[in-house]
């Protein structure tokens, strides 16, 4: 295809064959340089808060129904960043840097117009398979989003199918001191355009936002040729407590606009706000931009020898570290999270909307950090 540089065609074909014959963890496959991104997966949780005023608006809603609508509007408004921003910024979906165990990413969005400061803390809690845990807080608004993200990939009819594992839970503390929770499940991805070397994401199937108040949003995703015939389409149905009758229906395209009963609902055509982070020079050894600095420089500047030399350095150092830990009988200690094999909050909320699986593991935030 046009997008694949002539000199990398052979290696692209080999990469596609490897994907096709291999399902599970794509992060470990070696890809040709043109498809590499200089950004680590630990940076991705920032997509949740790139419209900080929509996040903080959740706390300003006056009742459970309008809070659900505020959560839904914020959630839908994150999708453009989560799933199309690499295409917008780099011309296609790219293979992110595969984080090392213990890799960290910290950032914030400043307080502006009374929205409060939003803080982000990310830790890579597993290397193989890659699992990323994150915590996003707005203390002034008493909001905390905690989740983890992993993927199970397979190959079908020329597309990569990505099932997202993990979930997020939004904790809201109301002015009267009572607490409300929202379970956010994640959509399935189909990565198309592989043959041509210009991959892009379409969302499929259904995801849910279940509130402890009983309000539920059921979000259906379709691409070109389905119910609207348009790319990145969705339809969200909102139901009230103990009821299956629809209270609201929102329809549109998640990367542009949508409407609720003919009235504009979300609109992400305007600019988003990137997370503020310390420069690579200011960061500690375990923070993404410092850790991957030279690899990223190599990828950005087309110096792939530098990129691959520095990547090997990091990988060798990691291998040695794992050996030493094994020998010392002292496994790696996470900095901000502790793994738990079940999650009572997930179980309670998942039961309310009958979402599968009925139980999931989780990473419990331990404090000890800037979020
Ligand atoms: C959580 C998001 C996730 C991470 C990425 C599948 C993918 C890694 C996971 C699911 C975020 O909230 C949202 C967006 C994009 C997802 C990535 C897209 C992608 O291609 C990668 C996988 C691992 C690859 O790099 C596949 C090979 C590549 C050549 C295709 C472009």
């Amino acid at each position: 295809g046009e997008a694949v540089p002539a000199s990398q065609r052979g290696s692209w074909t080999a990469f596609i064959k490897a994907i096709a014959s291999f399902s599970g963890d794509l992060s470990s496959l070696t890809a040709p340089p043109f498809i590499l991104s200089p950004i680590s997966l630990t940076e991705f949780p920032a997509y949740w808060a790139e419209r900080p005023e929509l996040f903080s608006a959740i706390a300003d809603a006056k009742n459970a129904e309008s809070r659900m609508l505020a959560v839904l509007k914020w959630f839908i408004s994150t999708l453009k960043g989560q799933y199309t921003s690499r295409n917008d910024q780099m011309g296609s979906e790219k293979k992110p840097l595969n984080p090392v165990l213990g890799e960290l990413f910290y950032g914030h969005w400043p307080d502006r117009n009374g929205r409060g400061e939003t803080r982000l803390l990310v830790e890579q809690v597993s290397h193989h398979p890659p699992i990323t845990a994150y915590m996003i807080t707005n203390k002034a608004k008493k909001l905390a989003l905690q989740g983890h993200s992993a993927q199970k990939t397979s190959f079908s009819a020329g597309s990569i199918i990505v099932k997202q594992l993990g979930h997020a839970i939004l904790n809201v503390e109301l002015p009267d001191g009572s607490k409300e929770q929202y379970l956010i499940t994640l959509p399935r991805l189909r990565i198309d355009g592989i043959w041509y070397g210009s991959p892009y994401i379409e969302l499929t199937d259904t995801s849910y936002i279940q509130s402890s108040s009983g309000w539920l949003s059921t979000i259906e995703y379709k691409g070109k040729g389905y119910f609207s015939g348009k790319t990145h389409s969705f339809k969200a149905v909102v139901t009230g407590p103990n009821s299956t009758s629809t209270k609201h229906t929102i329809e549109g395209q998640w990367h542009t606009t949508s409407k609720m009963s003919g009235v504009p609902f979300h609109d992400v055509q305007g600019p988003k706000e990137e997370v503020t982070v310390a420069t690579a020079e200011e960061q500690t050894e375990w923070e993404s931009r410092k850790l991957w600095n030279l690899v990223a420089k190599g990828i950005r500047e087309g110096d792939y020898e530098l990129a691959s030399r520095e990547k090997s350095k990091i990988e060798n150092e990691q291998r040695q570290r794992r050996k030493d830990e094994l020998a010392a009988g002292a496994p790696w200690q996470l900095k901000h999270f502790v793994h738990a094999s079940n999650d009572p909050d997930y179980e309670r909320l998942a039961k309310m909307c009958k979402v599968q699986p009925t139980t999931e593991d989780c990473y419990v935030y331990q404090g000890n950090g800037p979020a």
Side-chain angles (χ1 to χ4, degrees):
E2 287 302 306
V4 186
S7 64
Q8 295 176 38
R9 277 185 199 149
S11 99
W12 183 240
T13 309
F15 180 68
I16 296 174
K17 281 188 185 146
I19 299 175
S21 61
F22 175 97
S23 70
D25 180 3
L26 289 185
S27 59
S28 57
L29 299 178
T30 305
F34 83 93
I35 205 73
L36 301 179
S37 158
I39 298 164
S40 165
L41 258 189
T42 55
E43 297 208 19
F44 283 42
Y47 294 129
W48 287 113
E50 291 183 324
R51 296 177 192 272
E53 68 292 344
L54 292 181
F55 188 55
S56 75
I58 295 165
D60 301 331
K62 293 287 173 270
N63 56 49
E65 177 175 4
S66 52
R67 254 187 317 276
M68 172 53 88
L69 291 173
V71 173
L72 180 62
K73 188 196 248 186
W74 156 73
F75 172 79
I76 296 294
S77 301
T78 71
L79 300 178
K80 179 181 157 126
Q82 307 256 21
Y83 303 111
T84 71
S85 62
R86 277 82 53 201
N87 292 66
D88 294 344
Q89 287 161 12
M90 304 187 273
S92 83
E93 191 58 53
K94 302 262 171 173
K95 190 172 189 287
L97 296 171
N98 187 29
V100 304
L101 179 61
E103 185 173 326
L104 302 167
F105 185 70
Y106 303 130
H108 75 280
W109 291 262
D111 181 12
R112 227 171 253 161
N113 308 320
R115 71 185 187 193
E117 183 193 38
T118 304
R119 288 187 184 172
L120 167 71
L121 174 156
V122 184
E123 180 168 8
Q124 189 68 15
V125 294
S126 169
H127 177 62
H128 276 309
I131 307 175
T132 309
Y134 53 90
M135 176 73 170
I136 298 173
T137 56
N138 183 326
K139 289 227 166 84
K141 300 284 179 178
K142 301 191 162 129
L143 299 171
L145 178 76
Q146 207 206 304
H148 70 278
S149 163
Q151 299 85 40
K152 190 176 189 307
T153 53
S154 57
F155 196 74
S156 167
S159 304
I160 300 174
I161 309 296
V162 181
K163 182 180 180 203
Q164 295 204 66
L165 308 177
H167 59 269
I169 292 182
L170 172 66
N171 287 282
V172 183
E173 191 183 323
L174 301 174
D176 68 2
S178 65
K179 295 197 166 77
E180 210 170 71
Q181 288 188 315
Y182 294 80
L183 168 66
I184 297 166
T185 73
L186 304 163
R188 205 173 276 245
L189 281 59
R190 205 181 58 233
I191 308 177
D192 288 324
I194 306 280
W195 296 123
Y196 311 103
S198 46
Y200 64 92
I201 291 173
E202 187 55 274
L203 299 180
T204 69
D205 294 272
T206 308
S207 78
Y208 301 91
I209 304 176
Q210 174 69 60
S211 171
S212 56
S213 68
W215 286 88
L216 168 68
S217 292
T218 304
I219 310 154
E220 249 188 287
Y221 304 89
K222 296 273 157 60
K224 243 193 223 91
Y226 291 87
F227 50 58
S228 84
K230 288 180 184 158
T231 181
H232 304 336
S233 295
F234 78 96
K235 180 177 168 183
V237 167
V238 181
T239 55
N242 311 312
S243 153
T244 51
S245 67
T246 299
K247 293 288 187 332
H248 303 284
T249 303
I250 295 102
E251 268 182 285
Q253 288 172 284
W254 49 259
H255 68 309
T256 55
T257 61
S258 62
K259 285 184 173 172
M260 179 167 82
S261 312
V263 178
F265 183 69
H266 97 296
D267 183 348
V268 286
Q269 296 172 112
K272 58 176 187 161
E273 212 176 304
E274 267 177 34
V275 63
T276 303
V277 284
T279 63
E281 291 69 35
E282 294 163 339
Q283 295 190 355
T284 61
E285 300 300 320
W286 288 99
E287 288 177 77
S288 288
R289 291 192 188 173
K290 169 89 167 208
L291 184 88
W292 293 106
N293 194 21
L294 293 173
V295 177
K297 182 176 191 283
I299 294 171
R300 285 207 175 88
E301 296 172 1
D303 184 348
Y304 300 119
E305 237 166 275
L306 173 69
S308 98
R309 192 168 63 238
E310 292 300 324
K311 187 165 168 278
S312 298
K313 242 193 231 171
I314 293 172
E315 287 166 352
N316 292 337
E317 200 271 336
Q318 285 289 310
R319 268 191 285 273
Q320 189 57 50
R321 205 175 264 279
R322 297 291 92 83
K323 274 188 201 157
D324 295 347
E325 287 164 3
L326 211 58
W332 178 261
Q333 296 293 304
L334 298 176
K335 190 171 162 113
H336 301 295
F337 296 92
V338 164
H339 183 246
S341 55
N342 70 325
D343 180 347
D345 292 335
Y346 174 85
E347 281 166 29
R348 190 163 29 85
L349 293 160
K351 202 177 279 169
M352 291 174 78
C353 58
K354 301 187 177 66
V355 73
Q356 292 289 333
T358 54
T359 175
E360 276 213 332
D361 64 346
C362 70
Y363 293 85
V364 183
Y365 182 58
Q366 299 298 297
N368 185 28

